């Protein structure tokens, strides 16, 4: 999600992404560009006038490869003592033969049973019971390092923990669901440090919000980081409740954080939570769904505005209510009852109606608050021209302290046939913009399997490039029988 705002000068000295094909505003706490993923830490500007000479390094002289053993496809084995050189202290390298097969050296003495081999004699225990470290190598420095034995490395099986017990027996499962907590999901052996990186392979660990799924009765939602962004700035909330009289109602809220604003991930989460809470409380009291949706959007806007008065998780000071890029996000939501469909939105997140009978027309239920929509509405461009422009996704309405004026949009429909309601961020509809395209991407059994359908739609966006965060929620709608009472 992008929006034209003047960013505050970031601590790293960059006002915008240095990638010439991107040039998006950057957040002071980001290590990567939120739009294209460019590594901001790679941009180093040396102080003016400072000379950084380099020292010439002589090319190394490598020894010739040893001759190949007769009848072998590989060269003869080399040992450390076969190569000339010295250690860091200027002493000759040791010439002790290295064994990796666990057998004693033919030319050396064999340790007596129960007696450990002396350090430096090239022996290993004949029983094969090797400790976690080998003999101590004394190099004359400040530290004494134990020579590791590769046979003693601990291998973490995906289905078991380090102790051999099933994963989760000693604690909850990790982010990947198949490795213990604190163990890297990539190499499955290294420990994860406080910054979320593996100490062994350096792999960044997935965050809890990188991929989220939830199914609750008849409504389901899936959110994914996508393939380009370094974090997921979308959020959602789904709930099921009852109207007076016991009739069911399903609620789905989807929010998209504005990448050019500060703390967009916190903004979307706060808005989704606040809107879901208001709808969950108002509908059972008998508030009309359309009025409840309006109130929910107002509450979501207040929750995002309140973030501007507080410090973020990574901020050292609170942001000014009227200064800088305050937290901001878009919102779209739906309330589905037994005979009524209500949608509400601010921004360019959308809602679609997809009938079960695909011969019937699908429909887009929302109108974007965006530059492209304004151009089309004013008759200056057709829809194809407007959305092909680089300014197409600049939004004109959002939730946040610096929003020009909050204008919640709501609409109510009474479909005459069964179908599903799709609410999503632009990370999905960019790859299925027209209502017909969205209907073609929604599986035919979406009403019976909403979570499966949401996964399919996220996969559709990822297959298309996954340039943005992707969030979608689906709710089936079944019209009431003929003659049934309406709300």
């Amino acid at each position: 999600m992008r929006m034209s705002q003047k960013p505050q000068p970031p601590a790293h000295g960059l006002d915008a992404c240095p990638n010439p094909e991107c040039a998006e505003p950057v957040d002071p706490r980001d290590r990567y560009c939120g739009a294209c993923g460019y590594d901001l830490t790679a941009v180093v500007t040396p102080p003016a006038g400072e000379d950084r000479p380099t020292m010439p390094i002589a090319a190394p002289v490598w020894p010739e490869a040893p001759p190949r053993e007769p009848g072998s496809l590989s060269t003869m084995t080399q040992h450390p003592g076969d190569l000339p050189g010295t250690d860091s202290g200027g002493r000759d390298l040791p010439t002790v033969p290295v064994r990796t097969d666990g057998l004693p050296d033919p030319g050396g003495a064999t340790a007596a049973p129960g007696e450990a081999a002396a350090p430096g004699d090239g022996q290993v225990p004949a029983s094969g019971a090797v400790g976690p470290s080998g003999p101590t190598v004394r190099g004359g420095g400040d530290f004494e390092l134990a020579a590791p034995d590769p046979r003693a490395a601990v291998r973490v099986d995906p289905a078991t923990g380090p102790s051999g017990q099933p994963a989760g027996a000693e604690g909850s499962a990790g982010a990947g669901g198949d490795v213990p907590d604190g163990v890297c999901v990539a190499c499955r052996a290294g420990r994860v440090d406080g910054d979320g990186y593996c100490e062994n392979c350096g792999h960044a660990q997935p965050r809890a919000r990188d991929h989220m799924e939830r199914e609750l009765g008849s409504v389901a939602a899936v959110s994914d980081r996508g393939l380009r962004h370094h974090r997921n700035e979308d959020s959602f909330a789904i709930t099921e409740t009852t109207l007076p009289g016991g009739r069911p109602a399903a609620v789905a809220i989807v929010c998209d954080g504005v990448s050019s604003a500060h703390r967009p991930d916190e903004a979307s989460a706060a808005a989704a939570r606040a809107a879901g809470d208001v709808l969950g409380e108002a509908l059972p009291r008998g508030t009309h769904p359309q009025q409840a949706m309006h109130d929910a959007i107002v509450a979501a806007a207040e929750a995002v505005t309140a973030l501007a008065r507080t410090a973020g998780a990574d901020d050292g000071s609170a942001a000014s209510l009227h200064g800088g890029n305050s937290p901001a996000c878009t919102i779209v939501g739906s309330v589905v009852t037994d005979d009524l469909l209500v949608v509400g939105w601010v921004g360019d997140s959308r809602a679609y109606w997809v009938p079960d009978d695909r011969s019937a027309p699908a429909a887009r239920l929302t109108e974007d608050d965006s530059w492209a929509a304004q151009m089309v509405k004013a008759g200056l461009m057709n829809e194809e021209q407007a959305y092909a422009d680089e300014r197409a996704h600049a939004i004109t309405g959002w939730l946040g302290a610096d929003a020009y004026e909050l204008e919640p949009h709501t609409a109510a429909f009474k479909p005459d046939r069964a179908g599903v309601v799709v609410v999503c961020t632009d990370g999905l509809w960019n790859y299925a913009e027209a209502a017909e395209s969205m209907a073609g991407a929604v599986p035919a059994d979406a009403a019976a399997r909403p979570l499966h359908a949401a996964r399919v739609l996220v996969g559709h966006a990822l297959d298309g490039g996954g340039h943005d965060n992707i969030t979608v929620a689906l709710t089936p709608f079944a019209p009431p029988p003929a003659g049934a009472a309406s709300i």
Side-chain angles (χ1 to χ4, degrees), residues 102-104 110-111 113-114 124-131 151:
L103 299 177
T110 303
V124 296
S127 64
V130 183
R151 294 166 295 171

Side-chain angles (χ1 to χ4, degrees), residues 320-332:
S320 170
L321 177 62
H322 301 292
N325 284 344
S326 299
C329 70
T330 68
I331 187 172
V332 63

Side-chain angles (χ1 to χ4, degrees), residues 241-249 284 338:
T241 186
T242 55
L243 303 176
R247 292 180 299 149
D338 56 352

Side-chain angles (χ1 to χ4, degrees), residues 165-182:
Q165 298 186 12
E170 299 172 323
S172 59
D178 56 357
V179 294
D181 279 340

